[in-house]
Amino acid sequence: MKNKNILSVVLIVLLFVLVAFLTPDVPDGETPQFGWLSILPPLLAIALAFITKQVLLSLFLGVFIGSVMLNGGNIFYGFLRTLDNFVINSVADSWNAAILVFTLSIGGMIGVIGKMGGTKAIAEALAKKAKTVRSAQIVTWLMGIIVFFDDYANTLIVGPTMRPLTDKLKISREKLAYIVDSTAAPVTGMALISTWIGYEIGLIKDAYESLGIKANIYEVFVNTIPYRFYSIFALLLVFIIAFKLKDFGPMYKAEKRARLTGKVLADDAKPMASDEITKMELKEGIKLRASNAIVPILTLIIVAFIGLWYNGYTYSEGINWYDIRTCFGNADASVVLVWASIVASIVAIVMAISQKILSLGEALESWVDGSKSLLITCIILVLAWSLGSVTSSVGTADFLVKVVSDKLPSGLLPIIVFLISCVVAFATGTSWGTMAIVIPLALPLANSYILAGTGASNLLIATLSAVLTGSIFGDHCSPISDTTIMSSMASASDHIDHVKTQIPYSLTAAGIAILGYIIVGIFKLSPIVSLIVGAALLVGIVHFFGKSTAEEDLLLEANESAE
């Protein structure tokens, strides 16, 4: 390990020296063109995160090297600009600041709920319904689908709520994080009413208008859903794995460890939630009530739902109050989530005091302890946002798109666009940024095939869908994605362990999605055919390549190995 760390330091130093020499001088007022160098910031961050398991350092160095590139190879100015142009500006952004407040407030609410015994009570209540490993995983999956309106809210509600139960049943934190992550962005991105819909519809509207195409944009959005193969297959794969109790790859090892030893975390794991939440002790004699968790969580959901409607209606002109879809689409989700988390925190504190479980001072102390547990997550989020800003500035996504988007047969377009979106989203850690970059490039290309008579009538929808769902691949499993980070935090999982165990499943869903686009792109068949074929293949893959994680099967295997 010591030699590995020394080697990493030497390579990083050499890399910075190399960048300092190779970075071209950019005249004032001109946009820098870095070519292959543009992939260095995200590549360095991702590689170091896997090698060293030091996420903070890896993200910071990714931002740092990008800033050095933008400052003509000057390491001193690059360091200063890392702090002021990227880190500070990321915190100063109103959306990002609101998400930080929301995250800390959710942590505070969870802290109070935990101190009241609400988390333990709801876990025990769920345990009566979900008494097995299979049912617990399916219930977690269902909860992730039910909380459909926002991916951040999804991860921060489902993870902490289900964690006590999954721990009790010896389900690994890696598996919990995977289920939470797989029912966040994949669900929210397709939901008919969500915090994503306004952004997606806005991008579609701009692209269609630039092409001179008149269409009902919401209808276009709905039409893309059957073609969002990755999102659908990712959700389906979770259910199949949970129902069949089979896993493969690193996840199988994690589940085997948890089931046989009771260790829900690896020995060297560094969970992203601290002891303030994960090991909060209860007062003696407290009567456990599930309502002490359910009421604040329902308050969070209801206030968020009503707030999205109110915010979208109040701050947009010409919208009818009953047009809920449009109101949601135009709402500022970051502000609304702050409203919801603060109100839910107040409700939790009032409940604790009114039941004489906690004094006012104890309730506030519990709220602060809960917030403290998410401080590391907030730091990582800031660095992830900073890295996203750097990759945008050095033109990472633009370079990747240009490299692979030259002349293509029309039938291959959705496949190539899907792959481009996956790579860009994984490298940059942002699905929204990927959508904004790739949609304006991909849709005109698809439309040109249609106008020339060489593309199928559904090519535009298939290509658009490929961007929207390919973008979620990166948001779903990139180690520098905020949603992936928050899933690790909400599940109190080691972040890199979460990424390592999830990637094989994400790649499986992505591979089946590519087959889906072959069916609709090359063979020009209905997306329903792709969905049926894909579902059958997923069942087959899990059945034939997965290994049972039922405790009795693992014990039998262990005994046979011992003999």
Side-chain angles (χ1 to χ4, degrees):
M1 180 61 71
K2 185 177 180 180
N3 290 335
K4 184 187 290 186
N5 290 335
I6 294 173
L7 180 61
S8 297
V9 171
V10 172
L11 290 175
I12 291 168
V13 172
L14 290 175
L15 185 60
F16 272 85
V17 172
L18 184 66
V19 166
F21 278 104
L22 294 181
T23 300
D25 292 326
V26 182
D28 293 338
E30 292 189 15
T31 303
Q33 300 293 329
F34 293 107
W36 284 101
L37 283 176
S38 66
I39 67 172
L40 275 181
L43 184 62
L44 177 64
I46 292 170
L48 279 178
F50 276 100
I51 294 170
T52 67
K53 300 190 76 171
Q54 299 295 326
V55 179
L56 288 175
L57 178 63
S58 302
L59 288 171
F60 180 80
L61 289 176
V63 180
F64 185 16
I65 199 166
S67 183
V68 170
M69 290 164 57
L70 291 167
N71 285 274
N74 188 307
I75 294 177
F76 176 72
Y77 284 132
F79 178 75
L80 297 181
R81 299 296 82 80
T82 295
L83 300 178
D84 51 33
N85 280 1
F86 294 107
V87 174
I88 292 176
N89 283 348
S90 292
V91 178
D93 180 85
S94 61
W95 173 279
N96 293 349
I99 293 302
L100 293 176
V101 174
F102 167 67
T103 301
L104 293 173
S105 300
I106 282 284
M109 181 196 75
I110 294 169
V112 177
I113 289 174
K115 203 68 173 178
M116 284 196 292
T119 306
K120 185 176 181 180
I122 200 170
E124 291 183 357
L126 286 169
K128 296 177 182 178
K129 301 290 183 182
K131 297 181 180 180
T132 65
V133 172
R134 175 183 286 110
S135 58
Q137 292 184 46
I138 292 175
V139 167
T140 306
W141 177 76
L142 284 172
M143 282 189 64
I145 292 175
I146 290 169
V147 186
F148 61 86
F149 55 86
D150 181 75
D151 54 332
Y152 289 168
N154 182 303
T155 58
L156 292 174
I157 290 173
V158 178
T161 301
M162 295 304 300
R163 190 168 66 225
L165 175 61
T166 55
D167 283 358
K168 181 179 179 180
L169 292 173
K170 297 190 289 187
I171 297 171
S172 68
R173 294 277 178 83
E174 294 96 325
K175 174 59 77 64
L176 175 60
Y178 162 63
I179 298 174
V180 168
D181 210 353
S182 297
T183 54
V187 170
T188 307
M190 294 189 294
L192 298 179
I193 297 176
S194 75
T195 54
W196 283 44
I197 192 170
Y199 184 76
E200 291 178 301
I201 285 178
L203 291 176
I204 298 169
K205 178 176 177 291
D206 291 344
Y208 269 60
E209 286 181 352
S210 68
L211 297 173
I213 301 174
K214 293 183 179 180
N216 181 319
I217 302 302
Y218 189 80
E219 184 178 347
V220 172
F221 170 85
V222 173
N223 289 339
T224 66
I225 293 175
Y227 292 89
R228 299 201 196 191
F229 300 133
Y230 174 75
S231 300
I232 295 170
F233 293 147
L235 287 168
L236 186 57
L237 182 58
V238 177
F239 177 79
I240 295 170
I241 285 171
F243 182 78
K244 294 185 72 66
L245 269 186
K246 287 189 171 185
D247 285 285
F248 54 86
M251 188 69 80
Y252 172 74
K253 295 179 181 179
E255 285 290 89
K256 183 178 180 179
R257 178 203 69 231
R259 216 79 82 239
L260 294 181
T261 68
K263 295 179 180 179
V264 295
L265 286 164
D267 290 334
D268 61 345
K270 298 176 182 178
M272 287 188 64
S274 68
D275 289 351
E276 281 86 353
I277 278 184
T278 56
K279 296 182 180 178
M280 189 171 289
E281 295 182 0
L282 305 179
K283 282 185 174 180
E284 292 185 6
I286 291 178
K287 183 178 180 181
L288 299 180
R289 295 186 176 92
S291 59
N292 284 340
I294 293 172
V295 171
I297 290 171
L298 280 179
T299 300
L300 177 73
I301 294 172
I302 292 169
V303 172
F305 194 90
I306 294 174
L308 289 168
W309 163 80
Y310 171 77
N311 184 269
Y313 169 67
T314 303
Y315 295 104
S316 302
E317 297 180 1
I319 297 179
N320 296 316
W321 65 269
Y322 52 80
D323 190 351
I324 296 177
R325 291 192 299 258
T326 306
C327 291
F328 266 54
N330 288 285
D332 184 343
S334 63
V335 172
V336 173
L337 291 174
V338 171
W339 297 347
S341 58
I342 295 295
V343 172
S345 294
I346 292 171
V347 168
I349 290 171
V350 170
M351 291 180 68
I353 295 172
S354 63
Q355 297 175 56
K356 298 182 179 179
I357 298 174
L358 301 173
S359 65
L360 176 60
E362 290 172 330
L364 292 175
E365 184 179 347
S366 299
W367 191 92
V368 171
D369 286 341
S371 297
K372 281 162 54 180
S373 72
L374 302 189
L375 179 60
I376 185 68
T377 301
C378 290
I379 295 172
I380 292 175
L381 282 174
V382 169
L383 290 174
W385 290 326
S386 302
L387 183 60
S389 180
V390 163
T391 56
S392 175
S393 298
V394 300
T396 304
D398 289 338
F399 170 74
L400 291 172
V401 169
K402 289 175 182 177
V403 165
V404 291
S405 64
D406 289 333
K407 297 178 181 179
L408 301 167
S410 64
L412 291 177
L413 183 60
I415 304 167
I416 300 301
V417 166
F418 173 73
L419 289 171
I420 291 172
S421 300
C422 288
V423 172
V424 171
F426 188 86
T428 60
T430 167
S431 53
W432 283 23
T434 302
M435 292 175 190
I437 292 163
V438 181
I439 285 178
L441 299 171
L443 290 197
L445 189 58
N447 191 53
S448 67
Y449 285 118
I450 294 172
L451 293 177
T454 57
S457 59
N458 66 347
L459 183 61
L460 201 61
I461 293 294
T463 303
L464 174 60
S465 305
V467 179
L468 296 175
T469 195
S471 300
I472 285 176
F473 171 86
D475 196 39
H476 185 199
C477 63
S478 172
I480 60 175
S481 160
D482 50 4
T483 310
T484 308
I485 292 165
M486 294 179 81
S487 296
S488 298
M489 177 276 298
S491 306
S493 171
D494 181 285
H495 182 53
I496 300 304
D497 288 345
H498 165 46
V499 174
K500 285 180 178 178
T501 52
Q502 177 163 279
I503 281 180
Y505 292 159
S506 301
L507 290 174
T508 299
I512 303 298
I514 290 171
L515 177 61
Y517 288 116
I518 290 174
I519 291 172
V520 299
I522 296 177
F523 296 102
K524 298 179 174 57
L525 297 177
S526 166
I528 303 301
V529 176
S530 296
L531 294 174
I532 294 172
V533 172
L537 284 173
L538 286 176
V539 172
I541 288 171
V542 175
H543 180 76
F544 290 107
F545 294 97
K547 296 181 180 180
S548 174
T549 55
E551 188 168 353
E552 58 272 19
D553 292 333
L554 291 171
L555 286 171
L556 180 61
E557 180 189 349
N559 291 333
E560 290 176 351
S561 299
E563 294 174 359

